[in-house]
Amino acid sequence: MEMVWFLALLFFYLGVFASGYGKNVSSRPDVVNIGAIFTFNSSIGKVSKIAIEEAVKDVNSNSSILHGTKLNLTMVDSNCSGFVGMIEALKFMETDIVAIIGPQCSTVAHIISYVSNELKVPLLSFAVTDPTLSSLQFPFFVRTTQSDAYQMAAVAETVEHFGWKAVLAIYVDNEYGRNGISALNDKLAERRCKISNKVGIPPSGVNKGVIMDILVNVALMESRVIILHVGPELGFLVFSVAHYLGMMGNGYVWIATDWLAYYLDTNSPLPHEKMDTMQGVILLRQHTPDSDRKRAFLSRWKHLNGGSLGMNSYGLYAYDSVWMVAHAIDAFFNQGGIIRFSDDPRLHSQEGSDLHLDAMNIFDDGMLLLNNILQSNLVGLTGPLKFTPDRSLVHPAYEIINVIGTGIRRIGYWSNYSGLSTVPPETLYTMPPNRSTASQQLHSVIWPGDTSTTPRGWVFPNNGKLLKIGVPVRVGYKEFVSQVRGTNNFKGFCIDVFTAAVGLLPYAVPYQFVPFGDGRANPSYTELVYRITTGEYDGVIGDIAIVTNRTKIVDFTQPYVASGLVVVAPFKKLNTGAWAFMRPFNPLMWIVTFAFFVVVGIVVWILEHRTNDEFRGPPKQQFITVLWFSLSTMFFAHRENTVSTLGRLVLIIWLFVVLIINSSYTASLTSILTVQQLSSSVKGIESLINSDDRIGYQVGSFAEHYLSQELNISKSRLVALGSPEDYAKALKDGPEKGGVAAVVDERPYVELFLSSQCSFRIVGQEFTKSGWGFAFPRDSPLAVDLSTAILALAENGDLQRIHDKWLLESSCTMESAELESDRLHLKSFWGLFLICGIACFIALFIYFMQIIHQLRTADPPDSISSEPSSGPSRHFQRFFSLMDEKEDPSKSKSKRAKVERSSFENDRDEELGGHSNKRQTELATMSNNNLRN
C-alpha cells in the first residue's frame, strides 16, 4: 500500500513540477493548437480567411481524421509587413502552436522562416510563390502552392511560342518581384531569349506621376513585350497609365502573372472602365483540375460569403493546407508522437531585459510532424497533394488567359509535364510526355489594339538615337565598299545591297555609318565583328565573311554573296609540239597499257595454240603473230580468229578495255589539239601545302588564320598583300624575286581581280564554302528581318542587278582556253586492267588444269618414255609436249586417250616379242606421228 502511494506521489510530482524541463501533453490531446498568419484585407486574405475557417470546421466535424482531437485555430493579420509578421510569429510561439498556415507575403515568409527553423514549427504557406525560399535554407518552410519558378517557365515558353527573343520586365521591387523576375531571366535564357530591360517599382508610396515617368521611359525602349509582375494595386495603376499613354494599342504585348487572375476571380465583374484599360492582355492562372468535390465546395462557397467574393486558387490551396496539417497530425499521433515543448536556453532573458524571450519553446517532435507533412498523399480541392523530392507539389500547371471585352477567354494550358497545349493537363498525364514543336499549341489571341495578328514584339528605340553600323574602310577592291571622300557616307556593292534590303522592311530603320579603319591598310574584319559584342556597334555591314569563329559571338543575315577560298596563280600557254600525241597519258599509263597489250597477246596465244592453226608454226612466226595480234586489237584490226572458249572470253574483255582506253585517249588528244592549253606550276591548294613556296593573302582577311591554323602552313611562308596591284606584282615576280607562287583569297575578290588581270587564273577547286552577310548582336530581330529581305532581293532579281552594276565589267578577252588538265593516270583505269588481268588469270588457270588432267590420265609416248631422265624432268617434258601438241577439234578427248593407250600397248607387245602384231604397231605409231604434226 505504501508503494502505491509512493508511485502516485511520484507521478504527480513529475506531472506538476517538471515544467522547468519541459511541457508535456498526452499523445492524443483534446485540442491541438495551429496558427494562421496572412493579410486579412487583401484579395487573397479575404478568401483564404473564410476557406481556412471552413476547413477547420470540416476537420473537427469529421471524427475519422483526428479521432476526437480538435484543431484550435488562431489567426493574426500580418498586413504584409515583415516587422508585424515577425512580432505575431513570436507571439504564436508562446502558445504551444504545432504548425502555422501562412504567411501570404514573401517578405514575411523570409523573416518568420528563421523563427520556424529555430523552434521547429512547420510553416505551410499557401500563397508565397517566391522561388528563392529554399528547403535547404529553411527546412521547416513548406510551400503548399506552386512556385514562381513554374509560372516563369510558363511565361518563357509562351514568349518562345510566339517567336519573341527579348522582353521587358516591370516588377515590384521587393522579394516577390525581384526573385520572380530573376527566375524568369533563367527560364528565358534556357530558350535563348532574354530580358532586355528591368524596371522596378517601389512597393509603397507610388502615385500616378511615378508610374507615368516609368512608362514614358519604357515606351522609348526597343522591346514591346512587357511582363508585369506586381500586385493588384500597382498593376491596375500601370494599366491605367499605359492606356492613357497609348501603350495598350497595336504592337504592344502585355503578359501579367497570376496576380491579375486571382483578383479577377475574386472581384469579378470589374467595372467597364477598368476592363477597358487591359484589353488584349495575356495572364496566367494556377490550374486546379475539376472534380466533384471542388464543384460541391464552390457551390457551398456562394452561401458562405453571400456571393460578394469569388473563389480563387489561393483560397483552395489554403483550404487544402488545413487538411494536410490535420492528416499529418493524425499520422504523428499514430507514430507515437507527443506534443511536447522545451525551453531554449539561448532565449533566456538577460538581466534587466523586458523581451521575455524565454516564454517561447521548441517543439520537440517538430521534425516528425514535418516529415509527415512532406509524406502527404491525398487528394484535395486543388488535386493531388503530394510533394516531389524538391518539396514542390506534383503536376504544376497554369491556364493561359486572354482578356477580351468584359471578360476573359482561356487560350490554352501550360504544364511542367508537356508544355503548352489546348487540352487540360489531366488528359496529357495519361500519355507519354511530348515536347515537340508541333505539340506546343495555343488558341488564337486578340492582342492589344483589337488585332489577331501576332505583334513583332520590338521596335527601334524611339529615343532619338541612330543605330551605329560599322563599315570597313577598304584600301583595295573598292567596288565592294568605299568611303565617299570627306564624309561618313559609303558606296559600293555591299552598301547597295544593305540599303535595298532595309528599304524592303515594313518599318523604318534609323542608322548611321561609322567608318572602321585608318584608310592605309585593310582593317581586321574579326576585330570589326568583335566590337559588336562590346556595344561599340549595333551592326556591321560590308564584305564580311561568315566563318565559324565569328558566328559564335554574333548573328549573321542570310548570305547575299556565295564565297569561298580559291588559289590564283600565273600561267603560261602551251604549244602542241611534235610530241603532243604522247601527252594524254602519263608515262606509267603508257607502260602499263603496252604491257597489257603484250600480256593479253601471250595469253590468247597460249589458249589458241593447240587448236588454232593461225597460232602455230615456227617460233619466229609465232612471236610475230603474238605482237601483231596484240597491237592490232588497239584498232580492232586483228585478222586471226579465236576458236577456243577461253580465248574468246579473254579477247572480249580486252576489246572492251581497249574501247575505253581509245575513247579516253581520243577525247584528251582532241582537247589538247583544239583548245588553247594553259600551264601552271601550281595545281591547287594541295601542291601549295606540299611545297615551300610563299603564298599571298589579303590584309584583314580570314585567309591568314585558315592557312596557318587549319592547313598548318607556316606563317613565314605567308605574305600580306593589300591591293590588286600588290597581287599582280607579287605573282609576276614569283618566289625567286621575292614575290609569291600563288595568292589565296575569297572568290568574289579573285573574280574582280581576274577581270582586269589576264595573266592569272584560278587553279584547282574552291576548297572552302562560305558567304558574305551582315553581322548583328546575338538574337537580334533585325538580322532575321534583313535575311527575309535579302531573299526577296534575290527572288525579284534586284540582287543580280546590283551585282551587275558593280562587278560585271571585264577588260580581258574571253578566250577559249583552259588550264592544263591533269594527264590520264593509271588510277582512272586500274579497275579495267584489274578485270582484264583477273580474266586472263582465270582462263590460264582453267587451261593449265585441263593440261594437268590430261597429263595424269594419259601415258607418255615412246619418244619420251624411251629417253633416260629423272622423274620431274620427264613430267615437265610431257607437260610442254602436251601444250605444243596439235589437238584435233573433231575428236573427243576420250578417243584420243584410247588411241594413246592402244599405242602404248602395241609398243609393249613389240618389246616382248609379239611379231604377229608388228604391222599393227607400226601403223599405230605412224598415226600418232601424224597427230603431232
Side-chain angles (χ1 to χ4, degrees):
M1 192 64 179
E2 292 179 355
M3 181 62 67
V4 173
W5 281 106
F6 175 79
L7 293 176
L9 290 173
L10 178 63
F11 286 132
F12 178 80
Y13 176 83
L14 294 176
V16 174
F17 298 99
S19 59
Y21 300 96
K23 302 176 183 178
N24 297 285
V25 181
S26 63
S27 60
R28 279 281 182 178
D30 294 334
V31 175
V32 174
N33 295 323
I34 64 172
I37 181 170
F38 51 90
T39 303
F40 292 171
N41 190 27
S42 65
S43 296
I44 294 177
K46 292 175 183 179
V47 174
S48 299
K49 185 175 184 296
I50 301 174
I52 292 173
E53 291 173 343
E54 289 303 307
V56 172
K57 291 179 183 179
D58 292 343
V59 169
N60 289 336
S61 64
N62 191 336
S63 59
S64 64
I65 302 299
L66 293 176
H67 305 286
T69 300
K70 303 295 183 181
L71 294 180
N72 180 35
L73 173 67
T74 303
M75 293 190 293
V76 295
D77 185 2
S78 67
N79 199 27
C80 273
S81 168
F83 177 75
V84 174
M86 180 183 64
I87 298 300
E88 296 298 338
L90 294 176
K91 290 181 179 180
F92 271 151
M93 301 311 173
E94 298 178 4
T95 59
D96 297 341
I97 284 179
V98 299
I100 299 176
I101 309 297
Q104 173 186 336
C105 301
S106 298
T107 303
V108 179
H110 277 276
I111 294 175
I112 68 174
S113 289
Y114 289 103
V115 179
S116 176
N117 284 351
E118 292 296 328
L119 302 182
K120 298 183 180 179
V121 176
L123 196 66
L124 287 80
S125 177
F126 60 88
V128 171
T129 58
D130 182 355
T132 63
L133 283 164
S134 167
S135 59
L136 298 177
Q137 183 181 8
F138 304 114
F140 279 83
F141 175 83
V142 180
R143 194 194 315 274
T144 58
T145 186
Q146 301 297 345
S147 168
D148 271 345
Y150 296 114
Q151 179 174 208
M152 296 311 171
V155 173
E157 290 198 31
T158 303
V159 169
E160 182 187 36
H161 175 75
F162 289 108
W164 303 313
K165 292 298 182 181
V167 302
L168 188 149
I170 300 178
Y171 62 96
V172 58
D173 196 6
N174 58 18
E175 287 84 355
Y176 161 75
R178 287 192 301 270
N179 297 332
I181 294 303
S182 177
L184 175 61
N185 192 47
D186 294 340
K187 297 300 180 181
L188 288 171
E190 293 175 3
R191 291 159 179 80
R192 287 198 64 184
C193 303
K194 65 177 181 179
I195 299 177
S196 59
N197 297 94
K198 299 177 184 179
V199 181
I201 301 177
S204 61
V206 179
N207 55 34
K208 192 172 182 179
V210 173
I211 301 298
M212 183 83 69
D213 293 339
I214 290 174
L215 292 186
V216 167
N217 290 329
V218 168
L220 299 178
M221 297 178 184
E222 178 179 331
S223 179
R224 285 293 184 263
V225 181
I226 302 172
I227 311 298
L228 190 58
H229 186 54
V230 294
E233 183 179 353
L234 282 178
F236 286 114
L237 182 57
V238 169
F239 281 143
S240 175
V241 175
H243 184 266
Y244 174 79
L245 294 176
M247 297 175 66
M248 302 299 296
N250 285 334
Y252 282 91
V253 176
W254 289 83
I255 300 178
T257 52
D258 64 347
W259 66 266
L260 180 55
Y262 72 70
Y263 187 90
L264 292 174
D265 290 340
T266 307
N267 301 287
S268 291
L270 296 183
H272 292 291
E273 296 79 10
K274 185 170 287 189
M275 292 298 295
D276 288 342
T277 63
M278 53 184 183
Q279 291 298 302
V281 171
I282 292 178
L283 58 99
L284 277 75
R285 176 169 61 192
Q286 291 181 344
H287 173 70
T288 56
D290 197 13
S291 64
D292 293 337
R293 187 180 176 189
K294 177 182 174 182
R295 285 192 294 269
F297 183 79
L298 292 179
S299 176
R300 173 183 165 194
W301 176 261
K302 297 178 182 178
H303 301 287
L304 292 174
N305 62 83
S308 61
L309 291 175
M311 174 56 69
N312 58 49
S313 60
Y314 290 106
L316 297 176
Y317 281 116
Y319 182 90
D320 284 347
S321 298
V322 175
W323 279 85
M324 189 182 297
V325 169
H327 280 278
I329 291 174
D330 182 57
F332 172 83
F333 288 142
N334 291 336
Q335 296 169 4
I338 299 176
I339 298 179
R340 179 175 55 206
F341 294 86
S342 301
D343 294 337
D344 188 345
R346 295 173 299 175
L347 300 179
H348 288 173
S349 300
Q350 301 295 325
E351 184 177 354
S353 173
D354 296 328
L355 293 178
H356 302 292
L357 297 178
D358 55 351
M360 293 184 295
N361 304 299
I362 297 175
F363 182 17
D364 292 341
D365 284 341
M367 183 59 71
L368 178 61
L369 180 60
L370 174 65
N371 291 334
N372 283 309
I373 292 173
L374 296 176
Q375 293 171 8
S376 298
N377 189 6
L378 59 148
V379 178
L381 300 182
T382 58
L385 299 178
K386 185 177 180 181
F387 292 97
T388 63
D390 65 350
R391 295 192 179 185
S392 298
L393 287 177
V394 297
H395 301 323
Y398 286 84
E399 298 175 11
I400 302 175
I401 296 170
N402 188 199
V403 178
I404 303 175
T406 59
I408 58 178
R409 180 175 72 96
R410 184 172 53 232
I411 61 173
Y413 302 87
W414 176 90
S415 68
N416 195 43
Y417 184 75
S418 57
L420 301 175
S421 67
T422 55
V423 297
E426 301 82 58
T427 305
L428 300 175
Y429 294 148
T430 61
M431 308 175 185
N434 185 0
R435 287 277 187 168
S436 65
T437 304
S439 68
Q440 305 299 296
Q441 297 178 353
L442 293 174
H443 292 302
S444 60
V445 180
I446 302 300
W447 302 100
D450 196 24
T451 177
S452 59
T453 303
T454 303
R456 189 171 68 246
W458 67 278
V459 295
F460 286 101
N462 188 20
N463 52 14
K465 295 182 180 179
L466 302 178
L467 290 180
K468 293 179 293 184
I469 305 298
V471 186
V473 179
R474 293 196 55 85
V475 175
Y477 298 111
K478 294 188 175 182
E479 291 84 351
F480 294 107
V481 177
S482 64
Q483 185 176 11
V484 178
R485 185 182 298 273
T487 69
N488 284 338
N489 295 328
F490 287 81
K491 64 180 181 179
F493 169 71
C494 302
I495 305 300
D496 282 4
V497 172
F498 175 74
T499 55
V502 169
L504 293 180
L505 298 179
Y507 49 85
V509 180
Y511 64 87
Q512 63 178 347
F513 291 140
V514 180
F516 177 76
D518 56 12
R520 293 187 294 271
N522 292 335
S524 170
Y525 280 37
T526 300
E527 175 64 22
L528 174 60
V529 171
Y530 176 76
R531 295 201 179 187
I532 295 178
T533 63
T534 64
E536 183 173 347
Y537 298 130
D538 299 309
V540 167
I541 68 169
D543 45 341
I544 313 296
I546 304 174
V547 294
T548 303
N549 62 333
R550 297 174 186 172
T551 58
K552 294 178 180 178
I553 58 175
V554 298
D555 281 350
F556 282 92
T557 63
Q558 171 79 16
Y560 60 90
V561 168
S563 182
L565 293 178
V566 294
V567 178
V568 180
F571 68 93
K572 61 180 180 179
K573 295 182 179 181
L574 291 179
N575 297 321
T576 55
W579 298 97
F581 69 91
M582 295 293 291
R583 284 168 53 191
F585 291 162
N586 69 342
L588 181 60
M589 181 65 183
W590 280 114
I591 294 172
V592 173
T593 302
F594 179 78
F596 259 84
F597 273 110
V598 175
V599 169
V600 170
I602 294 173
V603 170
V604 172
W605 175 83
I606 292 173
L607 299 175
E608 294 290 323
H609 179 67
R610 298 186 65 202
T611 58
N612 193 340
D613 292 335
E614 294 183 355
F615 288 88
R616 299 185 64 85
K620 180 178 180 181
Q621 179 182 349
Q622 294 182 43
F623 177 75
I624 295 174
T625 299
V626 169
L627 291 180
W628 167 254
F629 176 80
S630 61
L631 296 177
S632 61
T633 56
M634 180 186 298
F635 312 103
F636 306 97
H638 51 284
R639 295 176 300 175
E640 294 79 8
N641 295 321
T642 54
V643 296
S644 68
T645 303
L646 295 177
R648 289 175 177 177
L649 175 64
V650 171
L651 184 61
I652 288 174
I653 295 175
W654 174 243
L655 291 178
F656 175 73
V657 174
V658 170
L659 175 64
I660 300 301
I661 294 175
N662 274 343
S663 301
S664 302
Y665 178 86
T666 303
S668 181
L669 183 60
T670 301
S671 174
I672 292 172
L673 296 177
T674 59
V675 178
Q676 175 65 56
Q677 298 293 300
L678 308 178
S679 176
S680 173
S681 59
V682 178
K683 303 301 181 183
I685 189 64
E686 292 81 6
S687 63
L688 285 178
I689 295 174
N690 296 328
S691 70
D692 293 326
D693 294 334
R694 286 152 52 97
I695 305 171
Y697 68 91
Q698 184 179 175
V699 175
S701 171
F702 78 96
E704 178 189 13
H705 177 272
Y706 186 86
L707 293 173
S708 60
Q709 301 298 322
E710 300 297 332
L711 300 183
N712 296 319
I713 296 176
S714 174
K715 287 189 176 182
S716 61
R717 295 176 53 196
L718 304 180
V719 179
L721 304 173
S723 65
E725 293 75 17
D726 295 339
Y727 281 23
K729 183 179 185 303
L731 289 171
K732 289 178 179 178
D733 291 345
E736 298 81 7
K737 299 181 180 179
V740 297
V743 170
V744 174
D745 205 351
E746 296 178 72
R747 180 174 286 276
Y749 300 123
V750 170
E751 290 178 347
L752 185 60
F753 170 72
L754 295 180
S755 67
S756 58
Q757 298 291 335
C758 307
S759 302
F760 313 102
R761 287 290 186 274
I762 296 175
V763 295
Q765 300 295 322
E766 185 175 274
F767 56 93
T768 66
K769 294 290 184 182
S770 62
W772 290 355
F774 305 134
F776 294 93
R778 296 297 297 269
D779 301 320
S780 170
L782 186 58
V784 178
D785 290 349
L786 279 178
S787 295
T788 304
I790 289 171
L791 289 175
L793 289 175
E795 292 172 358
N796 62 26
D798 287 346
L799 189 60
Q800 184 61 44
R801 283 188 283 273
I802 297 173
H803 178 275
D804 295 344
K805 170 185 174 182
W806 290 96
L807 308 175
L808 193 61
E809 296 180 1
S810 176
S811 59
C812 290
T813 303
M814 299 302 294
E815 298 177 349
S816 177
E818 63 178 23
L819 281 174
E820 179 189 20
S821 59
D822 290 337
R823 290 179 169 184
L824 297 176
H825 294 269
L826 178 62
K827 63 182 179 181
S828 302
F829 300 92
W830 71 267
L832 291 172
F833 287 125
L834 179 63
I835 293 173
C836 184
I838 292 174
C840 291
F841 175 79
I842 293 174
L844 288 176
F845 180 78
I846 295 173
Y847 176 78
F848 288 141
M849 288 299 101
Q850 291 175 350
I851 297 298
I852 293 173
H853 177 72
Q854 293 180 21
L855 181 64
R856 289 180 176 179
T857 57
D859 294 329
D862 58 349
S863 60
I864 296 179
S865 61
S866 61
E867 296 179 1
S869 59
S870 61
S873 176
R874 181 166 174 264
H875 285 299
F876 277 118
Q877 291 178 6
R878 178 58 181 157
F879 179 79
F880 289 116
S881 175
L882 284 177
M883 286 184 60
D884 189 53
E885 183 180 75
K886 178 68 171 65
E887 181 180 5
D888 187 357
S890 64
K891 296 182 179 181
S892 65
K893 295 180 181 179
S894 61
K895 291 182 179 180
R896 187 176 69 250
K898 183 177 180 180
V899 173
E900 289 181 350
R901 286 197 298 272
S902 176
S903 174
F904 295 154
E905 291 173 357
N906 292 336
D907 289 340
R908 287 195 296 271
D909 291 340
E910 183 179 1
E911 292 176 359
L912 294 174
H915 298 287
S916 61
N917 297 326
K918 182 177 181 181
R919 182 59 180 170
Q920 295 179 1
T921 302
E922 291 177 353
L923 292 174
T925 302
M926 292 176 62
S927 176
N928 287 333
N929 292 334
N930 290 333
L931 288 174
R932 293 190 188 98
N933 295 328

